[in-house]
Amino acid sequence: MTTADPRGENRPDLQIKIGGPAGFGIKAAGQTLARSFVHAGLNTFDLTEYPSLIKGGHNAYQVRVSPEPEVLCHVMPVDILVALDHETAERHVSELVEGGALIYDPDKTDVEGLIDPEHVCAVPVPLDTIVKEAGGVAIMRNVAALGAVAGLAKFPLHYLTDSLEAQFAKKAPEIAEKNVAVATKGYEFGSKTECAFPFRLSPVEDAPPRLLVDGNEAIGSGALAAGIGVYCAYPMTPASSLLSFMAARDREHGVVVKHTEDEIAAMNMVVGAAFGGARAMCATSGGGFSLMVEAFGLAGVSESAVVVGLLTRAGPATGLPTWTEQSDLRFALHAAQGEFPRVVVAPGDRTQAFELTWKAFNLADQLQTPVVILGDTYLSDNRASIPVWDLEAVTVERGKLVTEGDMVEHPDTLGEDGLYLRYKVTDDGVSVRALPGVTGACQVVNSYEHDEYGYGAQGEVAATRIAQHEKRMRKLDLASSLVPPPVEWGSEDPDVSVLCFGTTVQPLRQAMAWLARDGAKVRAMQVVTLWPFPADAVSAFIGGAKKTMVIEGNYAGQLEGLIREVCLLGVDHRLHRYDGRPFSPEQVHESLKEVL
Amino acid sequence: MTTADPRGENRPDLQIKIGGPAGFGIKAAGQTLARSFVHAGLNTFDLTEYPSLIKGGHNAYQVRVSPEPEVLCHVMPVDILVALDHETAERHVSELVEGGALIYDPDKTDVEGLIDPEHVCAVPVPLDTIVKEAGGVAIMRNVAALGAVAGLAKFPLHYLTDSLEAQFAKKAPEIAEKNVAVATKGYEFGSKTECAFPFRLSPVEDAPPRLLVDGNEAIGSGALAAGIGVYCAYPMTPASSLLSFMAARDREHGVVVKHTEDEIAAMNMVVGAAFGGARAMCATSGGGFSLMVEAFGLAGVSESAVVVGLLTRAGPATGLPTWTEQSDLRFALHAAQGEFPRVVVAPGDRTQAFELTWKAFNLADQLQTPVVILGDTYLSDNRASIPVWDLEAVTVERGKLVTEGDMVEHPDTLGEDGLYLRYKVTDDGVSVRALPGVTGACQVVNSYEHDEYGYGAQGEVAATRIAQHEKRMRKLDLASSLVPPPVEWGSEDPDVSVLCFGTTVQPLRQAMAWLARDGAKVRAMQVVTLWPFPADAVSAFIGGAKKTMVIEGNYAGQLEGLIREVCLLGVDHRLHRYDGRPFSPEQVHESLKEVL
Amino acid sequence: MPTVKDFETPNKPTWCPGCGNFNMFQALRQAYELTSQDFEHLAVVWGIGCHGNGADFTRCQGFHALHGRALPAATGLALSNPELTVVVEMGDGDGYGIGLGHFVHSCRRNIDMTVVAHDNQIYGLTTGQASPTTEHMMKTVSTPTGVLEEPVNTIGLAIAEGATFVARGFAGDVPHMTALFQQAIEHKGFAVVDVFQPCVTWNKLNTFAWFRERVYKVEEESGYDPTDRAGAMALSLTTFHDMACTPEQCKLPIGVLYREEGRPTYQDGLPQLDEPLWKRALAPRDLTEMVRGFM
Amino acid sequence: MPTVKDFETPNKPTWCPGCGNFNMFQALRQAYELTSQDFEHLAVVWGIGCHGNGADFTRCQGFHALHGRALPAATGLALSNPELTVVVEMGDGDGYGIGLGHFVHSCRRNIDMTVVAHDNQIYGLTTGQASPTTEHMMKTVSTPTGVLEEPVNTIGLAIAEGATFVARGFAGDVPHMTALFQQAIEHKGFAVVDVFQPCVTWNKLNTFAWFRERVYKVEEESGYDPTDRAGAMALSLTTFHDMACTPEQCKLPIGVLYREEGRPTYQDGLPQLDEPLWKRALAPRDLTEMVRGFM
Ligand SMILES: Cc1ncc(C[n+]2csc(CCOP(=O)(O)OP(=O)(O)O)c2C)c(N)n1
Ligand SMILES: Cc1ncc(C[n+]2csc(CCOP(=O)(O)OP(=O)(O)O)c2C)c(N)n1
Ligand code: SF4
Ligand code: SF4
Ligand SMILES: [Mg+2]
Ligand SMILES: [Mg+2]
């Protein structure tokens, strides 16, 4: 996908790519770099690519950095390529822009013939030697390279060294010292380069504070903010880091975090914990969700307030474990036998991930039904700098919940016999939920169809079944009034109207920014809540449009199919991707231009 | 649902209902009765209703019998009610038609006040006494009652006694004898009844032979005919009897039948067995399928030829274990992460169940992908008499399969290095599959994305991924040309055009027969293959229709949604049912009349 | 405090007349009375099977879980509220078959919980298929030529994997069962009581009479030491038996087979579980400090 | 017959330098040569984990199954063709964690198959979470305050549940491992070889050096009787150990810990499995007789 660089000539941003063998701390290096940029008031957007191998494969990490108030997405062209080994240079040198720079170790790589010095600035940095001289260890080669990047871009060194110091201060001050020495040496090499490198990164004064987080950190934070009590998971890429995130904070925040024996246990435990009244969540990727399906249905019929993170990767089956895809939308909508209300929300970025997560807990409690947060590898794995979350906005809405006291104080929840009706048929479908411990709250939370008490035998009576089934399904109406609406932006008088869901919003935003700059008129809608589907809003969006397009990261066109099914409306154009890579904004830009 | 009896005045058929406590052999009794009818050249259609309890609940079994060449469906009105206990009489007496008969034990039930002798013929039969006098055991009360039914309907006793003799001859001849004595005595009571009972059942001479089978027997037979080698299952209503069916025939037919530790194992074993070259199948209901989901995706990505029986019941979760529903259609279509080709076929009756099952094995082999047989409790549990299957029509098509020899004889399957390419990219998406044991057939059947050899690491290369993913998905085109088309019948110039899938075809056929008799013009389509969806046929069917309607046994309108999604066409009317009961033909009839 | 009768619901038990579940139900209610349970804090989680129908008959905080998943559901419940007494009733197919993994991992956890297995050596509810504890070579509808597997050694498994109270009861002896249940509930840690529960409808081999001729109480054997782990594991091997074994050949020990006091429970390792966790969700958690770490 | 080198593929192993998997891979190939395997009939099934990457490196009839599901996949394969030699390579998370149920049920079956566990006491591929064999209280990313569970007693479990060949190897001793693999493959029945496989990247406790100080060979102990089931189970308890245990405190037996000859295998109970079952699907089965029974 070699496309022109739509960022244009006078762009303020730089895209830096660091590549090397797996297991060489590439990701950590990229994150350190990003952190020091953000501390300097710049904004960043990272992209990591790695195979499902601990070592031996090839890893790459990109940091796009800009002084502008927001970096919307990663981009494909590379301004500075840091090749920690020869393979990286060979693999990625073609991605360098005209005038870009290659940082490499002259003892490892011969750039002769690899680059044309007319077009690419060669920056030799003897990484090994620097590290050896500083008495450091091999992994510090990264740090030397980071120093060179800073030097090359005239970025004040102290942001980097401060960042390194903060990072290592706790572990061992001598290591911090060595890192600083290595970075400083690398900086020298980077700044004294002979060829002209036109880009420079200056700190932004008085920039508002930024958070540097990936999607899993955002989801985890949202869950913590919501007052989560129990988090259960079995590791699975890209959800694993969310387990580590929660586990690292369990005692401090009073959360029980359980690495379970499998995903079946995780989901069942979460339903059990929800019965106990804890806010409970599990998260996994598609394969683990497959194993959760049965208990997901249990949550539906037992009306359990649970939150499930489904962070998808490229399938089917084990598929491409470390690569992204948006192909589990329909699976999320239809998983489990029988019919029950569910909510599916798909955050597009880290800000939404935080917000939708705490909101998911409210929805689960208000609706007493499972809520799915549908993310993907592209979101989970990559950090960007974002505005500080609005912690004040977080609310805890637990819906019709009785936590203490005696059910006699809630006479409307009792049957004629004075006993508590856990599944009382109500207009909005939601019954008052009394927690274990509340006097008089005997109940059966049931995987069988059941009557209002929760008893299973009576569930077989046709009228009871109908009443309970319809009661549950009625919750979808309530849900429609509670769930986050789609997000629209762009031209008021568009030539093309584009729909997407989830993380595709990021490249789309970037592509649209470029198009708007060039005067093209595009309007976009991100369908935030996938179920219940915002039929009216989507129909209205499509209804008046000149040309319509759906962009989604799968083969079959799942969002498009959903639009067709719910709105009975077709779309004119579509862009799909299913090679494990996220959409690039260049690709989206190109594709929109074709349609325009 | 009290509706008129659309069978009309001079109907030739009789509906007999036997009810009593669970564990009293009600089902066996009904089946015996049906068998003796079929032996007399009559046709039957059974309906069994029972709770998920071994004993203590209430069971009912209906047999509709007719001298006509086919009985299309069960009906609701009852002509003869056999009440083995008082509860049955109370529960079901209102279902009796004008002029119907109640057979009851006068020592157990007082019909005074329960029936109006003007309208219902009371047939007291001292069941207990009969059994005692014959020296029989309690369960023989059923047999006495069957005798009374035969007597009442003037049905020659010997069909019943022959049937009993055949049934018990093996076990113990003395038991057979006692049963015959009891039946004979019951017959006397039935035939000497005082009130007029207008209906009578005469044997049909020279009737063609009939099979008396339920859906699971039909599916099991289809699998056996296809040459199944491995059947794996974990018991789950209504699929359990299929496991017993297969297990009872394993050695005779050379099939390895494994009751596995769970459904996860069942599905994974089947994929393993398919690798070995056996024709392999598993079956379950929705809950078990939930657990199979991950390995179902494994079958997809590894291109394994497996057949999965998904015999649905009313959900969600444990739901209503012994009751029917058609609510897992979308689940079957979207189960498992990622995208891969699958075929879903839904038999409507026992004839189709046999045919579609052996065809499913051919499709699985030809496409090297999983094929789902989507049935339900209504099909699995109930017997009807049907024309003898066309065993001559059965074929074994194993597709591109090499079972023996050396791969050098198949040079087009080898890479440039001379090694076998299990996943060679082909035009139709299907690669030549060589079984273990074939010389030179080294391969990796892989749950990861992979290259043409099957190696996983290369699957991460974007181009390889795209080639393999597109290759797999292309199989859907081939599938479209191979799968069974929809079935259409009815008026050529319809006022209403109705669509359905699966077993709903049975009540629909009956309702349409009644409507046709009364001159109404209805046309129907049974969508036999649900995926790949027959877009053209369905669009054509709907396109020219005056009014359209979908009838399906679920809440959400899943078939309708599919039509909307694939054909971008709406339908005008719909009839849903989700109380665990199958549609009755009366209900369908009524509903169609409203629409007409 | 509630007494035996109080733990009933308006629903009449629907088990087959003579089923071993009736006695277990009786013994359990007695144990609840003896251990002074109250309705609000007695949480019972059932699997799916005939045993699970007890959910309709027991007044408590009930959870009728999925087939095989009673243990993880119960674990989640226990981990959400330290004030509950958590009891699991599971079937043999349920707990030792499809749910076996959870059972072993729960043993390893020594989670404070009582597990009662209704071990009728058959699938009752699905009408008589072989279960993981069905005798070797027994014929059932799913194994018409005989079960080819050895039965699960439930006791050996539980002891080998870390359960700290492992007992076996017999549904024909209510007082003995009651005492076992009581001890199990009072035990701090993962307590398993595997009960021989004759299924009178489907299991025509392992009947009340069959067991009566074979069971003996370990506590009546002089010298049996339930704290000797290797000894208890060795004894567990004696529960393996053939279809044809005579009462002399297969003696079946019942009673407390193994007990270990003082090992920390899973909950002991969770200082954050010092109160019901719903109390953590009364208001948004203050994350100001944590969020600063992301800046 | 193929020799060691022949069992390689064009793909270079990608394990971390120094990983215990290299030695296991070496020993396995040697065992394949020693047991005269041919490519056509040697079927190896892998779970998902670092160990599973062996699927790319081993020339055979390979099946890279789902995480935790190598055993049922292998079982299906074995039940479809009696002419195959079936070997399973599984991880500790894979086989003793998520797949534990299958492991126990496979032991009960005594299915004729060889299972090699790459037991590195950690989740390698998902970057260092606790596994079911991780030491009690060890800190990992998923258990930053320490694992609260006891590790699975893999050996005790296998023996208690019916495996007929149970051995333990150490990835630091290739000849010893090779001999174990060879015996396991030659054993008729369910053969388990659990191998201590240091993960040099994520498990900084159970290193090669750590094991070298602790392992000893049971066959060198005078008087060890691997046919004594209770004795072997008792010995399995000695594999439980603490993080802090000294080489003196935790001696780890390796070698053949239990073996039982002559017990019928699962396949022995299946007379219908007398030829590869694809031969049953060459033409439609004649059902005329059976169908008559429905008339
Ligand atoms: C996932 C799943 N598979 C299968 C079933 C069907 N099922 C219900 S109960 C049962 C077995 C019952 O046996 P057991 O656990 O021993 O309980 P019992 O009836 O003997 O008390 C089965 C297989 C189910 N409910 N869920
Ligand atoms: C259902 C499912 N859950 C989670 C994963 C993610 N996963 C892949 S490997 C692995 C654990 C690996 O540990 P282990 O089995 O010990 O193998 P090792 O890498 O140590 O060889 C996990 C959790 C998966 N592939 N499938
Ligand atoms: S089937 Fe067996 S276990 Fe179930 S209720 Fe009847 S006797 Fe009890
Ligand atoms: S992570 Fe551990 S187990 Fe995996 S390859 Fe590296 S050293 Fe081996
Ligand atoms: Mg049982
Ligand atoms: Mg491991």
Side-chain angles (χ1 to χ4, degrees), chain C residues 13 38 48 90 151 172 198 220 235 238 270 276 286:
Chain C
D38 67 62
I48 298 293
M90 65 184 201
E220 291 173 359
L235 183 72
T238 67
L270 298 170
D286 182 5

Side-chain angles (χ1 to χ4, degrees), chain D residues 31-295:
Chain D
Y32 295 151
E33 176 179 330
L34 290 168
T35 56
S36 309
Q37 302 301 323
D38 67 61
F39 304 135
E40 284 70 29
H41 297 93
L42 171 65
V44 186
V45 183
W46 285 269
I48 299 292
C50 289
H51 63 280
N53 291 343
D56 270 16
F57 319 140
T58 311
R59 198 151 171 240
C60 64
Q61 302 297 333
F63 190 145
H64 203 161
L66 293 171
H67 183 50
R69 314 302 169 193
L71 274 166
T75 301
L77 183 55
L79 296 184
S80 73
N81 186 341
E83 295 169 0
L84 304 176
T85 299
V86 179
V87 175
V88 167
E89 294 188 55
M90 64 184 203
D92 47 338
D94 182 70
Y96 302 136
I98 191 168
L100 185 68
H102 306 305
F103 180 68
V104 176
H105 292 295
S106 301
C107 290
R108 293 174 50 219
R109 254 163 227 157
N110 192 32
I111 188 152
D112 188 16
M113 179 182 289
T114 298
V115 176
V116 174
H118 296 236
D119 191 354
N120 56 10
Q121 299 160 273
I122 204 79
Y123 285 18
L125 194 62
T126 47
T127 68
Q129 297 86 358
S131 97
T133 54
T134 300
E135 308 277 308
H136 183 61
M137 290 319 288
M138 180 162 152
K139 293 182 172 137
T140 74
V141 286
S142 65
T143 58
T145 47
V147 174
L148 297 176
E149 284 101 339
E150 292 292 329
V152 171
N153 176 356
T154 58
I155 301 294
L157 186 72
I159 300 171
E161 301 308 325
T164 48
F165 180 98
V166 182
R168 183 160 244 162
F170 166 44
D173 189 340
V174 173
H176 187 252
M177 260 195 302
T178 305
L180 294 178
F181 294 154
Q182 180 179 358
Q183 291 174 74
I185 292 171
E186 285 166 352
H187 175 76
K188 203 167 165 297
F190 195 67
V192 180
V193 188
D194 181 273
V195 178
F196 290 131
Q197 174 247 313
C199 165
V200 298
T201 300
W202 302 114
N203 189 335
K204 304 296 187 191
L205 173 69
N206 309 107
T207 61
F208 278 102
W210 190 91
F211 280 115
R212 276 214 181 84
E213 285 188 303
R214 287 167 173 81
V215 295
Y216 70 95
K217 296 180 178 149
V218 283
E219 60 270 27
E220 292 173 359
E221 298 284 290
S222 79
Y224 186 74
D225 175 9
T227 67
D228 170 12
R229 193 167 178 189
M233 278 169 69
L235 183 70
S236 79
L237 292 176
T238 67
T239 62
F240 276 77
H241 35 72
D242 291 321
M243 297 263 312
C245 78
T246 64
E248 291 67 42
Q249 288 166 332
C250 49
K251 285 279 163 221
L252 302 175
I254 61 173
V256 180
L257 302 174
Y258 178 66
R259 95 182 310 155
E260 180 186 344
E261 300 294 344
R263 186 135 66 82
T265 68
Y266 193 83
Q267 286 95 327
D268 287 339
L270 299 170
Q272 64 271 50
L273 188 56
D274 55 351
E275 60 175 3
L277 296 185
W278 58 262
K279 298 196 175 168
R280 306 278 155 80
L282 297 174
R285 216 181 241 109
D286 183 5
L287 295 185
T288 324
E289 184 71 17
M290 188 189 86
V291 162
R292 210 166 285 140
F294 296 138
M295 288 183 189

Side-chain angles (χ1 to χ4, degrees), chain A residues 275-276 407 420 422 434-445, chain C residues 7 38-46 55 58-64 77 81 84-87:
Chain A
F275 177 26
M407 291 316 287
Y420 168 54
R422 165 67 189 97
L435 296 186
V438 175
T439 305
C442 293
Q443 55 193 308
V444 190
V445 172
Chain C
F7 289 99
D38 67 62
F39 302 134
E40 284 71 28
H41 297 93
L42 171 65
V44 187
V45 183
W46 285 268
T58 310
R59 195 149 175 245
C60 63
Q61 302 296 333
F63 190 146
H64 202 160
L77 183 55
N81 186 341
L84 304 177
T85 299
V86 179
V87 175

Side-chain angles (χ1 to χ4, degrees), chain B residues 257-314:
Chain B
V257 176
K258 183 78 203 95
H259 169 173
T260 57
E261 60 268 36
D262 58 20
E263 292 89 349
I264 298 177
M267 185 77 223
N268 281 282
M269 280 190 197
V270 158
V271 176
F275 177 27
R279 287 199 141 181
M281 173 175 177
C282 55
T284 182
S285 191
F289 188 67
S290 283
L291 294 168
M292 291 181 176
V293 164
E294 191 192 12
F296 185 70
L298 164 65
V301 76
S302 66
E303 307 199 31
S304 299
V306 300
V307 175
V308 183
L310 171 51
L311 309 173
T312 69
R313 60 196 217 188

Side-chain angles (χ1 to χ4, degrees), chain C residues 90-169:
Chain C
M90 65 184 201
D92 46 340
D94 182 70
Y96 301 135
I98 192 169
L100 184 69
H102 307 305
F103 179 67
V104 176
H105 293 295
S106 301
C107 289
R108 293 173 50 217
R109 253 163 229 155
N110 192 32
I111 187 151
D112 189 15
M113 178 183 290
T114 298
V115 176
V116 174
H118 296 237
D119 191 355
N120 54 11
Q121 299 159 272
I122 205 81
Y123 286 17
L125 193 61
T126 46
T127 69
Q129 296 87 356
S131 97
T133 54
T134 301
E135 308 278 309
H136 184 58
M137 292 317 290
M138 180 161 153
K139 294 182 171 137
T140 74
V141 286
S142 65
T143 58
T145 47
V147 173
L148 296 176
E149 285 101 339
E150 293 291 329
V152 171
N153 176 356
T154 57
I155 300 295
L157 187 73
I159 299 171
E161 302 308 325
T164 47
F165 180 99
V166 182
R168 183 159 244 162

